[in-house]
């Protein structure tokens, strides 16, 4: 049972973490490389940081909206195929932390689970069903050690 779980758990964790972020990312665009007006409005007017009991506007909301929209597509795409897996999971963990500051009541419903999945992926890696695994095997077989 453990051997099967070692192969199945990493891709299942990656899929579970990908779904909410990728779905959100799809709503941020009005066509190719065109950020939706709704996304711009949310970041400029609606989203606020909740820090130390205060409520603060987001810094550079237009740039943050663009970075978020790109991150919610690129990082899940990397994660689903298992390429730069730990980096992608770390990126989504950071995004979860920022989302927690914007929606502080979401910790017990969503953010804790997203954070746990991201930390788990960073800890155990991409698993055998990933591009990272196959690239690592190819490099090991070639005997390439990199520049010293």
């Amino acid at each position: 049972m453990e051997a099967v779980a070692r192969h199945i758990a990493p891709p299942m964790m990656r899929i579970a973490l990908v779904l909410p972020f990728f779905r959100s990312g799809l709503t941020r665009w009005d066509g190719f490389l065109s950020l939706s007006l709704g996304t711009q409005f949310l970041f400029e007017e609606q989203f606020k940081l909740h820090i130390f009991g205060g409520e603060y506007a987001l810094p550079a909301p237009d740039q943050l909206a663009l970075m978020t929209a790109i991150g919610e597509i690129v990082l899940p795409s990397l994660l689903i195929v298992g390429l730069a897996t730990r980096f992608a999971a770390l990126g989504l963990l950071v995004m979860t932390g920022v989302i927690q500051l914007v929606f502080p009541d979401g910790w017990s419903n969503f953010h804790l689970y997203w954070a746990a999945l991201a930390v788990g992926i960073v800890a155990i890696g991409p698993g055998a069903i990933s591009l990272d695994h196959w690239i690592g095997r190819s490099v090991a077989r070639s005997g390439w050690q990199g520049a010293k």
Side-chain angles (χ1 to χ4, degrees), residues 7-20:
H7 290 298
I8 294 175
M12 286 181 70
M13 291 171 62
R14 294 191 334 250
I15 291 167
L17 185 58
V18 159
L19 290 175

Side-chain angles (χ1 to χ4, degrees), residues 5-14 85-86 89 116-128 130:
R6 284 185 188 275
H7 290 298
I8 294 175
M12 286 181 70
M13 291 171 62
R14 294 191 334 250
T85 305
R86 286 184 162 113
L117 287 166
V119 168
I121 293 165
V122 170
I124 67 171
S130 68

Side-chain angles (χ1 to χ4, degrees), residues 17-30 35-36 38-39 42-43 47 65 68-74 76 92 95 99 103 114:
L17 185 58
V18 159
L19 290 175
F21 286 95
F22 192 74
R23 285 180 181 158
S24 176
L26 292 176
T27 68
R28 305 239 180 256
W29 301 96
D30 278 341
L35 207 56
S36 75
T39 294
L42 287 172
F43 278 78
F47 292 166
T68 299
I70 291 169
E72 286 182 333
I73 296 297
V74 172
L92 292 179
M95 286 182 73
I99 293 167
F103 299 104
W114 299 344

Side-chain angles (χ1 to χ4, degrees), residues 8-123:
I8 294 175
M12 286 181 70
M13 291 171 62
R14 294 191 334 250
I15 291 167
L17 185 58
V18 159
L19 290 175
F21 286 95
F22 192 74
R23 285 180 181 158
S24 176
L26 292 176
T27 68
R28 305 239 180 256
W29 301 96
D30 278 341
F32 185 70
L33 297 180
S34 177
L35 207 56
S36 75
L37 293 176
T39 294
Q40 292 172 337
F41 175 78
L42 287 172
F43 278 78
E44 291 170 358
E45 304 295 331
Q46 296 291 311
F47 292 166
K48 305 290 183 205
L49 293 173
H50 297 83
I51 302 173
F52 303 121
E55 194 173 282
Y56 307 95
L58 294 174
D62 293 337
Q63 291 80 4
L64 192 57
L66 180 62
M67 288 175 28
T68 299
I70 291 169
E72 286 182 333
I73 296 297
V74 172
L75 295 174
S77 297
L78 289 171
L79 206 55
I80 201 70
V81 298
L83 182 62
T85 305
R86 286 184 162 113
F87 167 78
L90 184 61
L92 292 179
L93 179 61
V94 169
M95 286 182 73
T96 300
V98 174
I99 293 167
Q100 174 61 30
L101 293 175
V102 174
F103 299 104
D105 294 336
W107 183 250
S108 62
N109 292 327
F110 303 104
H111 308 157
L112 175 62
Y113 303 105
W114 299 344
L117 287 166
V119 168
I121 293 165
V122 170

